């Protein structure tokens, strides 16, 4: 699996498709922290949303960066489409965690906060950013070109999902009941708990995190199961 992850990192780096999402998140974070001082958890909540959007973009670019024949050859060599999918997923998790650490540590090192962040808030921020990034990645799994052949449809659906996920608090006022919280990625609850972590009990924050983690595991698990049953000779 290490060799497969190294292969993905090399091929994705050579394709240079990482540049757009990575440059986008770096610019957004730099702009946010260009004004000092900043509140700790509110700023972390904002950068977590930035990471959610960037990782959804990064996931789509990563999953679509290979040529169809190249992808087919790798699957044949591995003799397992499921192993190929797991390797790709682990590579994206690695990239997400790398961005997570950089985004959380940067304002601490640059003195961008109005007060010391403290270990507890940094740990909550690391976990929250990781979950938000992985939520973005899991959305991209189902919109890659081998699942949604038309790029315009995939981009449109991704944009709609991003908007609805971030504005789920307003959407739930229009659509009462549990459907919004069940169907939409739990971006809003994590964003809201991070923003209000100073006043909410830790259990409330961790509950939102657990909800997001369950959603990620469910979507990633179904993706791995379904990818192992796909005929890639017909879909790529």
């Amino acid at each position: 699996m290490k060799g497969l992850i190294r292969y993905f990192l090399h091929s994705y780096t050579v394709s240079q498709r990482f540049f757009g999402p990575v440059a986008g998140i770096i610019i957004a974070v730099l702009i946010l922290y260009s004004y000092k001082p900043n509140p700790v958890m509110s700023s972390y909540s904002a950068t977590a949303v930035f990471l959610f959007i960037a990782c959804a973009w990064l996931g789509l670019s990563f999953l679509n960066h290979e040529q169809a024949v190249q992808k087919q050859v790798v699957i044949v060599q591995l003799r397992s489409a499921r192993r190929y999918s797991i390797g790709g997923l682990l590579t994206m998790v690695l990239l997400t965690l790398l961005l997570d650490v950089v985004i959380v540590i940067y304002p601490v090192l640059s003195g961008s906060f109005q007060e010391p962040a403290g270990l507890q808030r940094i740990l909550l921020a690391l976990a929250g950013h990781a979950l938000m990034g992985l939520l973005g990645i899991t959305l991209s799994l189902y919109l890659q070109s081998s699942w949604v052949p038309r790029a315009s449809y995939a981009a449109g659906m991704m944009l709609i999902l991003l908007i609805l996920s971030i504005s789920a608090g307003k959407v739930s006022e229009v659509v009462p009941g549990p459907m919004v919280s069940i169907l939409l990625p739990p971006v809003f609850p994590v964003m809201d708990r991070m923003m209000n972590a100073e006043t909410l009990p830790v259990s409330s924050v961790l509950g939102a995190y657990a909800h997001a983690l369950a959603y990620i595991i469910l979507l990633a698990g179904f993706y791995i199961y379904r990818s192992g049953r796909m005929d890639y000779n017909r879909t790529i």
Side-chain angles (χ1 to χ4, degrees), residues 39-173:
V40 180
M41 292 311 294
S42 295
S43 301
Y44 276 146
S45 177
T47 54
V49 174
F50 295 163
L51 187 60
F52 166 65
I53 297 171
C55 282
W57 184 5
L58 183 144
L60 268 188
S61 69
F62 175 86
L63 293 165
N64 295 334
H65 82 277
E66 288 181 292
Q67 297 293 328
V69 174
Q70 181 184 357
K71 183 174 183 177
Q72 193 174 12
V73 168
V74 176
I75 291 174
V76 170
Q77 287 183 335
L78 292 172
R79 299 180 180 178
S80 171
R82 190 165 291 162
R83 190 178 179 194
Y84 174 90
S85 299
I86 293 173
L89 188 55
L90 290 177
T91 306
M92 289 187 286
V93 170
L94 184 63
L95 294 172
T96 300
L97 294 180
L98 179 62
L99 289 172
D100 172 13
V101 172
V102 172
I103 292 170
V104 171
I105 297 301
Y106 170 74
V108 177
L109 297 180
S110 63
S112 300
F113 291 140
Q114 61 190 11
E115 58 185 328
L119 181 60
Q120 179 176 325
R121 289 190 289 194
I122 290 176
L123 292 177
L124 286 176
L126 285 170
H129 281 74
L131 291 169
M132 293 283 265
L134 294 178
L135 282 171
I137 292 295
T138 52
L139 290 185
S140 69
L141 297 176
Y142 294 88
L143 297 173
Q144 59 181 291
S145 59
S146 56
W147 292 60
V148 181
R150 297 193 65 169
S152 58
Y153 287 178
M157 285 190 283
M158 176 64 80
L159 184 60
I160 291 171
L161 283 172
L162 292 178
I163 294 172
L164 289 177
S165 301
I166 296 170
S167 60
K170 295 294 183 184
V171 176
S172 62
E173 295 175 3

Side-chain angles (χ1 to χ4, degrees), residues 8-30:
F8 277 128
L9 289 174
H10 175 73
S11 63
Y12 186 49
T13 303
V14 170
S15 74
Q16 299 184 354
R17 293 198 180 193
F18 68 92
F19 183 78
V22 172
I25 183 69
I26 290 174
I27 292 171
V29 170
L30 289 177

